[in-house]
Every structure is written in C-alpha cells, then in structure tokens.
Amino acid sequence: MTRSEPMHILQQGMTGVRGGVERFIMNLYRQIDRDLVQFDFLIPYDMPPMAYEEEVRDMGGRIFRSIYPFRRAPWRAETELRRLFADHPEIGGVHMNVCFPYVYPLTVAARSGVNLRILHSHEGDGFFENQHRGWRARLVERQVHRYPTRYFVCSDNAAYLFPNEPYTWVSNGIDTGLFRFDEMVRHMVRARLGIPDDAHVIGFCGHLNSRKNPLFALDVFAAYRRMEPGSVFVVIGLGELEEELRRRIVALGLTDSSVLMLGGGRSDMHELYQAMDGFVLPSTLEGLPFVLVEAQCAGLTCVASREAVTDQAAITDLLQYRSLSDDARVWARALREGVARRVDRASYASRVAAAGFDMRATAAMLQEIYLTEGGRS
C-alpha cells in the first residue's frame, strides 16, 4: 500500500436491519475522511442485502460476504477469511462491533499479519445466558484475551466482554445538527401523521423483542393517556412481539389513531423525534442506547430502565430512570412531569455535543487510531 492510498479498515457488525450498531458504523463512515480511511464490510455469506448497502457502495465501500459458520464448516470459515486477507493486503485493520463473545475474524487477521485488531463491545452483560459455558466459551475467552490489539466499549458495563483488559470508551456519536429540534419540522411531521398540534406524543424506538420490552412501554403509554386524553404513542420498530403488541393495543381499548405503528428501518428518525414530546425505553438489557442520545439531542424528556441503562446515558437532565418493578403509572407520571417542563428543546443539541457525543469528535479519534496503528506486518 502506498501513501497515496487510503487505509482500509474491515468493519464487522452490520446486519440487515438499521439497529444501534449499524447506525454507529454508518455515522462513523459518513464523518471519516475517506481520502485517508476507507471502510470495507465483512458479513455472512448468506446474508440478504445489508442495511445501508446502497449508500455504502456509493461511498466506495466494498462488501465481502466471507463469514461462514465455524461450528458447521470450520475449514471453510478459516479458508475464506485467509483468502480475503491474502487477496486484499490493503486491509490494515479489522474493527469488530459485537454484542456477544465472538472474535474469530480477529484470530485469522492476526495470523495474516493485520496489525490493528479492534474488539468493540456494544452491549451490557447478559446477552446470552449460556455464553460463558462449555469448551467453546473457553476457546472464545482465550481468543478474546489474545488476538485484539484494542478494546473499545460504548459504556463501562459493556466491558463484560473482556474482563481485566484495558479498554477505551468510544462514545456513540451522532450528527447533533441533524437531530437538533426544529419547530417547522415538528409541525410538518405531525401534519403528515395526522397528529393534532396540541396532542402529547410519546415515542418508542427499538426491536420489538423481549430485550426492548415494548409491551411494558405500551402499558406506560396507556397510563399516560389516562392522565392526558388525546395523547398519541408512536412505535418505531419490527420484531417477534409485533402481533402480541397489536393484540395488547386492542385489549387496552386503544384506538388506531392513538397508537401509530410505523415499522422499522426508517431513514427519517431525526424528523420523527421532532414530532414527539417524550420517549420511553424500558429495556431489560442495553449498552448505551443510541436512541437515548438521539432523543436527548432532540430535546425530548426520556424515561429509561434503571436495571438496564447505564448512568453514562444521562448526558443531559432530560433522562430519568425508573425501575422495571415500578408500576407503569410511575413511569407515566415521570414522563408527564418532564413534558410539562417545556424546556428549550433546541438548546440540547449543543449540550449533547459538549458531552462528547458528536460523531465528528468520535470519528477524529478513531481515524487517528486507524492511521497510526493500522497496516500489515
């Protein structure tokens, strides 16, 4: 690789949905100086179109479908990765963005002479109940402590993945200007969704699964609506609990106009936050949720679960914590009190940036690491 060529960093962690990890990688990709650093993407061989795939290709990113399941095809799993690194000596680093103990591509990268090998934990402990058991767990544990050259975390509780290793905290940076509150956008989005200007709007964004706890979020909204008739609940996400959530909506006597199910994978989240007044996240497991950074940047009152969400997510005074053992009415009252404060919402974008959550600062830090530590030996 000559000096005129960018450093290539292989990013692993993208899936077919636009979740928090995917948003982190893409926020970083958009802000990095691509004349100096270019991203490639490592995904499973049989994965359908990757989230943001068209945008990635437009920015010059290459997508390698070279991950094969080690349990079913160990020989091919190693061979394909070895071939990838052999065919592309310009790849000087691997950045693995993971939510569970998995490090095998870094093992092959080390054997292939790749100098920079990052293991980046994005989730709190407890993602898999059986992750620390059996010989496979012991093998992964040895790999975790041997092959990465850098350990990154989104929050302190995410460091469970590599105990006793020195780690670097990497903030879940966002484009703070994009999420800054805009009154005109608020009116536009509400008009598009058929929401009256005077209605209280509570939002929820996340996979509709047990970890994100959308059924309890709905209970919180039902309690809120009893205090504030005419309120609207906006749900963004898809998942296995969608049908059960729809049944619960009917059982609670909520109308179609009071609960808007907007699906997942949306590209207009920055606009949807403007239409909301409050945000609820009663997760049972988290690292440092992107949605709470975005929601606070948009000036939204937020209430999150004390058991799952790290204190590091409270980057402004907008975020309150309540216990999952508390009644839904307790959560609803906290939301209502926050909404009643009527804060200067537009001022919170600068507060979020000052707290270190602007992606420009995160990108500058990571770019320096990529350039100074990446390469081949």
Side-chain angles (χ1 to χ4, degrees), residues 285-363:
L285 179 67
E286 286 288 357
L288 196 156
F290 249 99
V291 290
L292 289 180
V293 180
E294 296 168 346
Q296 288 176 86
C297 188
L300 287 175
T301 287
C302 303
V303 183
S305 52
R306 182 178 295 119
E307 292 87 345
V309 177
T310 173
D311 290 342
Q312 290 171 300
I315 54 182
T316 74
D317 59 353
L318 292 173
L319 177 56
Q320 300 182 57
Y321 295 87
R322 292 295 182 271
S323 173
L324 293 172
S325 63
D326 288 336
D327 189 86
R329 290 170 294 183
V330 174
W331 286 63
R333 282 195 293 269
L335 276 170
R336 190 184 185 211
E337 290 166 4
V339 170
R341 287 171 55 199
R342 302 293 181 187
V343 299
D344 176 11
R345 289 181 58 174
S347 69
Y348 279 87
S350 60
R351 299 190 197 188
V352 170
F357 284 85
D358 190 291
M359 180 49 85
R360 287 171 294 186
T362 301

Side-chain angles (χ1 to χ4, degrees), residues 85 94 104-117 376:
F85 292 123
V94 180
Y104 186 67
L106 297 187
T107 304
V108 181
R111 295 168 181 166
S112 302
V114 178
N115 291 339
L116 179 60
R117 304 181 298 276
R376 289 291 186 103

Side-chain angles (χ1 to χ4, degrees), residues 18 23 52 192-193 236-237 262-269 272:
R18 299 187 180 194
R23 293 214 296 282
Y52 305 101
R192 188 174 73 220
L193 297 176
I236 300 104
L262 301 185
R266 300 188 64 100
S267 60
D268 60 348
M269 275 305 305
L272 294 175

Side-chain angles (χ1 to χ4, degrees), residues 39-54:
F39 286 174
D40 299 315
F41 295 82
L42 177 64
I43 63 175
Y45 77 99
D46 58 350
M47 199 176 93
M50 185 182 79
Y52 305 101
E53 183 162 329
E54 184 174 346

Side-chain angles (χ1 to χ4, degrees), residues 8-50:
H8 280 255
I9 303 296
L10 188 64
Q11 296 282 344
Q12 187 272 335
M14 298 291 283
T15 70
V17 299
R18 299 187 180 194
V21 172
E22 292 81 3
R23 293 214 296 282
F24 170 82
I25 296 171
M26 290 305 298
N27 286 344
L28 176 60
Y29 195 21
R30 294 172 188 130
Q31 292 295 333
I32 211 89
D33 185 341
R34 293 190 294 279
D35 289 332
L36 298 176
V37 177
Q38 180 56 262
F39 286 174
D40 299 315
F41 295 82
L42 177 64
I43 63 175
Y45 77 99
D46 58 350
M47 199 176 93
M50 185 182 79

Side-chain angles (χ1 to χ4, degrees), residues 102-320:
Y102 174 64
V103 74
Y104 186 67
L106 297 187
T107 304
V108 181
R111 295 168 181 166
S112 302
V114 178
N115 291 339
L116 179 60
R117 304 181 298 276
I118 299 168
L119 186 61
H120 191 161
S121 177
H122 288 269
E123 196 72 76
D125 196 2
F127 194 87
F128 289 119
E129 292 182 357
N130 298 322
Q131 62 191 10
H132 301 301
R133 299 178 184 176
W135 67 268
R136 286 193 180 91
R138 291 191 294 273
L139 174 61
V140 169
E141 184 177 2
R142 286 196 296 271
Q143 293 174 344
V144 162
H145 291 288
R146 181 176 180 180
Y147 292 106
T149 60
R150 280 274 191 167
Y151 299 92
F152 290 168
V153 297
C154 67
S155 63
D156 288 342
N157 65 354
Y160 85 95
L161 188 60
F162 26 77
N164 303 316
E165 294 289 354
Y167 60 82
T168 300
W169 179 62
V170 177
S171 64
N172 282 345
I174 64 171
D175 181 344
T176 54
L178 184 65
F179 289 90
R180 185 179 185 273
F181 179 68
D182 186 315
E183 188 75 37
M184 291 183 62
V185 174
R186 175 182 176 84
H187 291 305
M188 176 191 73
V189 174
R190 283 189 170 220
R192 188 174 73 220
L193 297 176
I195 300 174
D197 281 341
D198 60 350
H200 288 206
V201 177
I202 305 302
F204 169 90
C205 178
H207 296 305
L208 303 183
N209 58 26
S210 59
R211 289 195 299 120
K212 298 297 183 179
N213 207 6
L215 298 176
F216 184 70
L218 180 64
D219 291 341
V220 172
F221 170 72
Y224 191 100
R225 186 174 165 87
R226 286 192 289 272
M227 293 184 284
E228 292 288 344
S231 298
V232 176
F233 191 35
V234 173
V235 179
I236 300 104
L238 297 171
E240 60 266 25
L241 291 181
E242 180 176 349
E243 289 306 314
E244 187 173 352
L245 189 65
R246 292 184 183 277
R247 289 193 294 270
R248 179 78 67 88
I249 291 169
V250 174
L252 289 170
L254 297 170
T255 63
D256 290 341
S257 60
S258 64
V259 181
L260 304 182
M261 304 277 287
L262 301 185
R266 300 188 64 100
S267 60
D268 60 348
M269 275 305 305
H270 57 291
E271 295 181 345
L272 294 175
Y273 286 121
Q274 314 303 316
M276 301 174 190
D277 299 291
F279 191 84
V280 60
L281 192 71
S283 304
T284 61
L285 179 67
E286 286 288 357
L288 196 156
F290 249 99
V291 290
L292 289 180
V293 180
E294 296 168 346
Q296 288 176 86
C297 188
L300 287 175
T301 287
C302 303
V303 183
S305 52
R306 182 178 295 119
E307 292 87 345
V309 177
T310 173
D311 290 342
Q312 290 171 300
I315 54 182
T316 74
D317 59 353
L318 292 173
L319 177 56
Q320 300 182 57

